[in-house]
Amino acid sequence: MKTDAPFPMMKTKRRKRNRDAFTLVEVMVVLFILLAMAGAGVVAIQGVRERAKRQQAELFVKSMKTPLGLFESQIGRFPTTEEGLDALKQAPSSLPDPSKWDSPFVEPEVSYFDPWGNAYQYMYPGTHSQGKYDLWSMGPDGISDTEDDIGSWK
């Protein structure tokens, strides 16, 4: 049997690839995708956490309006800057008539620290709220009188 083909009936051997494992490139691509998704998730969670901290500070400032108002109605004035918010938990020694201070206006467990770990600031008489008090959190930067402050006058 004669043919014109130079190599008749020559069978080429092909290597069969073993597809039981992933290549390094495939593993790297999957890792890159997972890390990108995780990074996006962390960024999204951080934004939610910061918003929640801000709302927590705003809620504290608003909720202190009631106990400070009760203090004023019983004593006839707001606590002084020196007495501070502690005057809502125990009677200040500077009261002219301590018998007017009836009972604590807030629970002893109430913390006067904002979500960023800084003490809430209190001033009476206030500079922002004339004739009233100023109560504020210094916000995430921990510096007073900056744009991120959360105050009773806002």
PDB file of all heavy atoms in Angstrom, residues 6 13-14 20 24 29 40 52 62 64 66 69 77 92-93 103 105 109 116-117 126 128-129 136 139 147-148:
ATOM      1  N   PRO A   6       3.768  11.733   3.133  1.00  0.00           N
ATOM      2  CA  PRO A   6       5.099  11.371   3.572  1.00  0.00           C
ATOM      3  C   PRO A   6       5.115  10.417   4.769  1.00  0.00           C
ATOM      4  O   PRO A   6       5.996   9.598   4.873  1.00  0.00           O
ATOM      5  CB  PRO A   6       5.749  12.692   3.920  1.00  0.00           C
ATOM      6  CG  PRO A   6       4.679  13.689   4.034  1.00  0.00           C
ATOM      7  CD  PRO A   6       3.510  13.145   3.290  1.00  0.00           C
ATOM      8  N   LYS A  13       1.155  11.064  19.187  1.00  0.00           N
ATOM      9  CA  LYS A  13       0.805  10.853  20.584  1.00  0.00           C
ATOM     10  C   LYS A  13       0.525  12.220  21.220  1.00  0.00           C
ATOM     11  O   LYS A  13       1.321  13.138  21.093  1.00  0.00           O
ATOM     12  CB  LYS A  13       1.973  10.223  21.333  1.00  0.00           C
ATOM     13  CG  LYS A  13       2.016   8.756  21.252  1.00  0.00           C
ATOM     14  CD  LYS A  13       3.062   8.281  22.234  1.00  0.00           C
ATOM     15  CE  LYS A  13       3.054   6.789  22.327  1.00  0.00           C
ATOM     16  NZ  LYS A  13       4.048   6.307  23.236  1.00  0.00           N
ATOM     17  N   ARG A  14      -0.561  12.307  21.811  1.00  0.00           N
ATOM     18  CA  ARG A  14      -0.882  13.523  22.543  1.00  0.00           C
ATOM     19  C   ARG A  14      -0.854  13.207  24.034  1.00  0.00           C
ATOM     20  O   ARG A  14      -1.373  12.177  24.447  1.00  0.00           O
ATOM     21  CB  ARG A  14      -2.274  14.034  22.178  1.00  0.00           C
ATOM     22  CG  ARG A  14      -2.339  14.522  20.776  1.00  0.00           C
ATOM     23  CD  ARG A  14      -3.694  15.113  20.563  1.00  0.00           C
ATOM     24  NE  ARG A  14      -3.844  15.472  19.186  1.00  0.00           N
ATOM     25  CZ  ARG A  14      -4.487  16.529  18.778  1.00  0.00           C
ATOM     26  NH1 ARG A  14      -5.068  17.312  19.626  1.00  0.00           N
ATOM     27  NH2 ARG A  14      -4.572  16.805  17.502  1.00  0.00           N
ATOM     28  N   ASP A  20      -7.162  16.916  37.411  1.00  0.00           N
ATOM     29  CA  ASP A  20      -7.624  16.704  38.778  1.00  0.00           C
ATOM     30  C   ASP A  20      -7.214  17.832  39.722  1.00  0.00           C
ATOM     31  O   ASP A  20      -7.678  17.893  40.837  1.00  0.00           O
ATOM     32  CB  ASP A  20      -7.080  15.383  39.323  1.00  0.00           C
ATOM     33  CG  ASP A  20      -7.685  14.193  38.610  1.00  0.00           C
ATOM     34  OD1 ASP A  20      -8.730  14.362  37.969  1.00  0.00           O
ATOM     35  OD2 ASP A  20      -7.092  13.104  38.706  1.00  0.00           O
ATOM     36  N   LEU A  24      -1.666  27.070  39.259  1.00  0.00           N
ATOM     37  CA  LEU A  24      -1.317  28.177  40.139  1.00  0.00           C
ATOM     38  C   LEU A  24      -2.023  29.457  39.719  1.00  0.00           C
ATOM     39  O   LEU A  24      -2.500  30.230  40.561  1.00  0.00           O
ATOM     40  CB  LEU A  24       0.205  28.384  40.129  1.00  0.00           C
ATOM     41  CG  LEU A  24       0.728  29.510  41.007  1.00  0.00           C
ATOM     42  CD1 LEU A  24       0.365  29.253  42.466  1.00  0.00           C
ATOM     43  CD2 LEU A  24       2.216  29.673  40.845  1.00  0.00           C
ATOM     44  N   VAL A  29      -6.057  33.706  40.749  1.00  0.00           N
ATOM     45  CA  VAL A  29      -7.217  34.495  40.313  1.00  0.00           C
ATOM     46  C   VAL A  29      -8.335  34.404  41.348  1.00  0.00           C
ATOM     47  O   VAL A  29      -8.943  35.409  41.723  1.00  0.00           O
ATOM     48  CB  VAL A  29      -7.701  34.038  38.919  1.00  0.00           C
ATOM     49  CG1 VAL A  29      -9.059  34.609  38.592  1.00  0.00           C
ATOM     50  CG2 VAL A  29      -6.688  34.420  37.854  1.00  0.00           C
ATOM     51  N   ALA A  40     -13.820  45.095  49.921  1.00  0.00           N
ATOM     52  CA  ALA A  40     -15.027  45.898  49.725  1.00  0.00           C
ATOM     53  C   ALA A  40     -15.959  45.762  50.928  1.00  0.00           C
ATOM     54  O   ALA A  40     -16.581  46.738  51.359  1.00  0.00           O
ATOM     55  CB  ALA A  40     -15.735  45.484  48.443  1.00  0.00           C
ATOM     56  N   ALA A  52     -23.031  54.522  62.897  1.00  0.00           N
ATOM     57  CA  ALA A  52     -23.670  54.071  64.136  1.00  0.00           C
ATOM     58  C   ALA A  52     -23.091  54.804  65.346  1.00  0.00           C
ATOM     59  O   ALA A  52     -23.831  55.191  66.260  1.00  0.00           O
ATOM     60  CB  ALA A  52     -23.499  52.567  64.296  1.00  0.00           C
ATOM     61  N   LYS A  62     -29.128  64.207  72.841  1.00  0.00           N
ATOM     62  CA  LYS A  62     -30.572  64.503  72.886  1.00  0.00           C
ATOM     63  C   LYS A  62     -31.216  63.949  74.147  1.00  0.00           C
ATOM     64  O   LYS A  62     -32.077  64.597  74.748  1.00  0.00           O
ATOM     65  CB  LYS A  62     -31.261  63.923  71.652  1.00  0.00           C
ATOM     66  CG  LYS A  62     -30.958  64.675  70.384  1.00  0.00           C
ATOM     67  CD  LYS A  62     -31.624  64.019  69.182  1.00  0.00           C
ATOM     68  CE  LYS A  62     -31.228  64.720  67.900  1.00  0.00           C
ATOM     69  NZ  LYS A  62     -31.760  64.035  66.715  1.00  0.00           N
ATOM     70  N   MET A  64     -30.012  63.536  77.077  1.00  0.00           N
ATOM     71  CA  MET A  64     -29.641  64.244  78.300  1.00  0.00           C
ATOM     72  C   MET A  64     -30.464  65.509  78.508  1.00  0.00           C
ATOM     73  O   MET A  64     -30.423  66.109  79.588  1.00  0.00           O
ATOM     74  CB  MET A  64     -28.145  64.582  78.272  1.00  0.00           C
ATOM     75  CG  MET A  64     -27.245  63.357  78.350  1.00  0.00           C
ATOM     76  SD  MET A  64     -27.568  62.297  79.765  1.00  0.00           S
ATOM     77  CE  MET A  64     -26.911  63.286  81.060  1.00  0.00           C
ATOM     78  N   THR A  66     -33.649  65.719  78.919  1.00  0.00           N
ATOM     79  CA  THR A  66     -34.650  65.475  79.965  1.00  0.00           C
ATOM     80  C   THR A  66     -34.056  65.540  81.368  1.00  0.00           C
ATOM     81  O   THR A  66     -34.558  66.288  82.213  1.00  0.00           O
ATOM     82  CB  THR A  66     -35.361  64.127  79.723  1.00  0.00           C
ATOM     83  OG1 THR A  66     -35.996  64.166  78.453  1.00  0.00           O
ATOM     84  CG2 THR A  66     -36.383  63.837  80.805  1.00  0.00           C
ATOM     85  N   GLY A  69     -33.124  69.070  82.195  1.00  0.00           N
ATOM     86  CA  GLY A  69     -34.329  69.871  82.418  1.00  0.00           C
ATOM     87  C   GLY A  69     -34.935  69.614  83.792  1.00  0.00           C
ATOM     88  O   GLY A  69     -35.405  70.547  84.463  1.00  0.00           O
ATOM     89  N   ARG A  77     -31.622  76.002  88.317  1.00  0.00           N
ATOM     90  CA  ARG A  77     -30.577  76.308  87.339  1.00  0.00           C
ATOM     91  C   ARG A  77     -30.028  74.983  86.806  1.00  0.00           C
ATOM     92  O   ARG A  77     -30.275  73.929  87.379  1.00  0.00           O
ATOM     93  CB  ARG A  77     -29.450  77.115  87.967  1.00  0.00           C
ATOM     94  CG  ARG A  77     -28.750  76.357  89.093  1.00  0.00           C
ATOM     95  CD  ARG A  77     -27.468  77.019  89.524  1.00  0.00           C
ATOM     96  NE  ARG A  77     -26.871  76.385  90.666  1.00  0.00           N
ATOM     97  CZ  ARG A  77     -26.151  75.258  90.655  1.00  0.00           C
ATOM     98  NH1 ARG A  77     -25.957  74.611  89.524  1.00  0.00           N
ATOM     99  NH2 ARG A  77     -25.627  74.775  91.766  1.00  0.00           N
ATOM    100  N   PRO A  92     -24.404  67.836  94.086  1.00  0.00           N
ATOM    101  CA  PRO A  92     -23.144  68.574  94.206  1.00  0.00           C
ATOM    102  C   PRO A  92     -23.035  69.253  95.572  1.00  0.00           C
ATOM    103  O   PRO A  92     -24.034  69.692  96.141  1.00  0.00           O
ATOM    104  CB  PRO A  92     -23.212  69.614  93.092  1.00  0.00           C
ATOM    105  CG  PRO A  92     -24.462  69.372  92.339  1.00  0.00           C
ATOM    106  CD  PRO A  92     -25.283  68.377  93.077  1.00  0.00           C
ATOM    107  N   SER A  93     -21.830  69.336  96.078  1.00  0.00           N
ATOM    108  CA  SER A  93     -21.614  69.971  97.394  1.00  0.00           C
ATOM    109  C   SER A  93     -21.807  71.482  97.321  1.00  0.00           C
ATOM    110  O   SER A  93     -21.990  72.135  98.347  1.00  0.00           O
ATOM    111  CB  SER A  93     -20.212  69.642  97.913  1.00  0.00           C
ATOM    112  OG  SER A  93     -19.241  70.098  96.995  1.00  0.00           O
ATOM    113  N   SER A 103     -33.357  63.238  93.882  1.00  0.00           N
ATOM    114  CA  SER A 103     -32.828  61.902  93.610  1.00  0.00           C
ATOM    115  C   SER A 103     -31.982  61.957  92.344  1.00  0.00           C
ATOM    116  O   SER A 103     -32.015  62.949  91.617  1.00  0.00           O
ATOM    117  CB  SER A 103     -33.980  60.905  93.429  1.00  0.00           C
ATOM    118  OG  SER A 103     -34.766  61.276  92.314  1.00  0.00           O
ATOM    119  N   PHE A 105     -30.853  61.856  88.656  1.00  0.00           N
ATOM    120  CA  PHE A 105     -31.606  62.133  87.429  1.00  0.00           C
ATOM    121  C   PHE A 105     -31.239  61.159  86.315  1.00  0.00           C
ATOM    122  O   PHE A 105     -31.937  61.090  85.307  1.00  0.00           O
ATOM    123  CB  PHE A 105     -31.357  63.577  86.975  1.00  0.00           C
ATOM    124  CG  PHE A 105     -31.779  64.580  88.010  1.00  0.00           C
ATOM    125  CD1 PHE A 105     -30.863  65.093  88.913  1.00  0.00           C
ATOM    126  CD2 PHE A 105     -33.095  64.992  88.091  1.00  0.00           C
ATOM    127  CE1 PHE A 105     -31.257  66.011  89.876  1.00  0.00           C
ATOM    128  CE2 PHE A 105     -33.494  65.909  89.042  1.00  0.00           C
ATOM    129  CZ  PHE A 105     -32.574  66.416  89.946  1.00  0.00           C
ATOM    130  N   GLU A 109     -25.070  53.819  86.137  1.00  0.00           N
ATOM    131  CA  GLU A 109     -24.307  53.129  85.090  1.00  0.00           C
ATOM    132  C   GLU A 109     -24.106  53.978  83.839  1.00  0.00           C
ATOM    133  O   GLU A 109     -23.350  53.583  82.955  1.00  0.00           O
ATOM    134  CB  GLU A 109     -25.016  51.831  84.666  1.00  0.00           C
ATOM    135  CG  GLU A 109     -25.272  50.852  85.777  1.00  0.00           C
ATOM    136  CD  GLU A 109     -26.570  51.153  86.520  1.00  0.00           C
ATOM    137  OE1 GLU A 109     -27.563  51.567  85.897  1.00  0.00           O
ATOM    138  OE2 GLU A 109     -26.571  50.970  87.746  1.00  0.00           O
ATOM    139  N   TRP A 116     -16.190  57.173  70.832  1.00  0.00           N
ATOM    140  CA  TRP A 116     -14.771  57.194  70.463  1.00  0.00           C
ATOM    141  C   TRP A 116     -13.868  57.179  71.693  1.00  0.00           C
ATOM    142  O   TRP A 116     -12.660  57.295  71.591  1.00  0.00           O
ATOM    143  CB  TRP A 116     -14.477  58.413  69.582  1.00  0.00           C
ATOM    144  CG  TRP A 116     -15.260  58.350  68.311  1.00  0.00           C
ATOM    145  CD1 TRP A 116     -14.943  57.650  67.177  1.00  0.00           C
ATOM    146  CD2 TRP A 116     -16.515  58.982  68.051  1.00  0.00           C
ATOM    147  NE1 TRP A 116     -15.928  57.799  66.241  1.00  0.00           N
ATOM    148  CE2 TRP A 116     -16.909  58.628  66.745  1.00  0.00           C
ATOM    149  CE3 TRP A 116     -17.351  59.803  68.788  1.00  0.00           C
ATOM    150  CZ2 TRP A 116     -18.088  59.057  66.164  1.00  0.00           C
ATOM    151  CZ3 TRP A 116     -18.542  60.239  68.217  1.00  0.00           C
ATOM    152  CH2 TRP A 116     -18.889  59.868  66.918  1.00  0.00           C
ATOM    153  N   GLY A 117     -14.482  57.068  72.880  1.00  0.00           N
ATOM    154  CA  GLY A 117     -13.714  56.971  74.116  1.00  0.00           C
ATOM    155  C   GLY A 117     -13.357  58.293  74.770  1.00  0.00           C
ATOM    156  O   GLY A 117     -12.626  58.316  75.754  1.00  0.00           O
ATOM    157  N   GLY A 126     -23.798  78.100  78.270  1.00  0.00           N
ATOM    158  CA  GLY A 126     -23.233  77.706  76.991  1.00  0.00           C
ATOM    159  C   GLY A 126     -22.865  78.881  76.110  1.00  0.00           C
ATOM    160  O   GLY A 126     -23.427  79.971  76.242  1.00  0.00           O
ATOM    161  N   HIS A 128     -22.815  78.383  72.670  1.00  0.00           N
ATOM    162  CA  HIS A 128     -23.615  78.169  71.460  1.00  0.00           C
ATOM    163  C   HIS A 128     -25.109  78.342  71.744  1.00  0.00           C
ATOM    164  O   HIS A 128     -25.852  78.784  70.887  1.00  0.00           O
ATOM    165  CB  HIS A 128     -23.373  76.768  70.886  1.00  0.00           C
ATOM    166  CG  HIS A 128     -21.982  76.549  70.407  1.00  0.00           C
ATOM    167  ND1 HIS A 128     -21.523  77.014  69.193  1.00  0.00           N
ATOM    168  CD2 HIS A 128     -20.927  75.911  70.987  1.00  0.00           C
ATOM    169  CE1 HIS A 128     -20.262  76.669  69.039  1.00  0.00           C
ATOM    170  NE2 HIS A 128     -19.870  76.008  70.114  1.00  0.00           N
ATOM    171  N   SER A 129     -25.524  77.939  72.930  1.00  0.00           N
ATOM    172  CA  SER A 129     -26.936  78.026  73.324  1.00  0.00           C
ATOM    173  C   SER A 129     -27.046  79.059  74.433  1.00  0.00           C
ATOM    174  O   SER A 129     -26.865  78.743  75.607  1.00  0.00           O
ATOM    175  CB  SER A 129     -27.440  76.672  73.828  1.00  0.00           C
ATOM    176  OG  SER A 129     -27.181  75.659  72.894  1.00  0.00           O
ATOM    177  N   TRP A 136     -21.680  68.376  74.271  1.00  0.00           N
ATOM    178  CA  TRP A 136     -21.219  67.905  72.971  1.00  0.00           C
ATOM    179  C   TRP A 136     -20.189  66.792  73.086  1.00  0.00           C
ATOM    180  O   TRP A 136     -19.534  66.624  74.097  1.00  0.00           O
ATOM    181  CB  TRP A 136     -20.667  69.058  72.146  1.00  0.00           C
ATOM    182  CG  TRP A 136     -19.349  69.625  72.577  1.00  0.00           C
ATOM    183  CD1 TRP A 136     -18.126  69.349  72.044  1.00  0.00           C
ATOM    184  CD2 TRP A 136     -19.114  70.594  73.602  1.00  0.00           C
ATOM    185  NE1 TRP A 136     -17.154  70.070  72.669  1.00  0.00           N
ATOM    186  CE2 TRP A 136     -17.732  70.853  73.634  1.00  0.00           C
ATOM    187  CE3 TRP A 136     -19.930  71.268  74.495  1.00  0.00           C
ATOM    188  CZ2 TRP A 136     -17.156  71.737  74.528  1.00  0.00           C
ATOM    189  CZ3 TRP A 136     -19.358  72.149  75.387  1.00  0.00           C
ATOM    190  CH2 TRP A 136     -17.988  72.380  75.393  1.00  0.00           C
ATOM    191  N   GLY A 139     -16.495  64.228  68.673  1.00  0.00           N
ATOM    192  CA  GLY A 139     -16.539  63.487  67.420  1.00  0.00           C
ATOM    193  C   GLY A 139     -15.342  62.576  67.220  1.00  0.00           C
ATOM    194  O   GLY A 139     -14.518  62.392  68.112  1.00  0.00           O
ATOM    195  N   GLU A 147     -15.609  70.657  62.828  1.00  0.00           N
ATOM    196  CA  GLU A 147     -16.863  70.387  62.127  1.00  0.00           C
ATOM    197  C   GLU A 147     -17.521  69.073  62.492  1.00  0.00           C
ATOM    198  O   GLU A 147     -18.726  68.909  62.330  1.00  0.00           O
ATOM    199  CB  GLU A 147     -16.629  70.420  60.605  1.00  0.00           C
ATOM    200  CG  GLU A 147     -16.492  71.816  60.068  1.00  0.00           C
ATOM    201  CD  GLU A 147     -16.531  71.839  58.563  1.00  0.00           C
ATOM    202  OE1 GLU A 147     -17.149  70.943  57.955  1.00  0.00           O
ATOM    203  OE2 GLU A 147     -15.949  72.771  57.986  1.00  0.00           O
ATOM    204  N   ASP A 148     -16.753  68.109  63.005  1.00  0.00           N
ATOM    205  CA  ASP A 148     -17.357  66.805  63.311  1.00  0.00           C
ATOM    206  C   ASP A 148     -17.931  66.735  64.724  1.00  0.00           C
ATOM    207  O   ASP A 148     -18.413  65.684  65.142  1.00  0.00           O
ATOM    208  CB  ASP A 148     -16.338  65.689  63.076  1.00  0.00           C
ATOM    209  CG  ASP A 148     -15.204  65.690  64.084  1.00  0.00           C
ATOM    210  OD1 ASP A 148     -14.982  66.728  64.733  1.00  0.00           O
ATOM    211  OD2 ASP A 148     -14.548  64.649  64.227  1.00  0.00           O
TER     212      ASP A 148
END
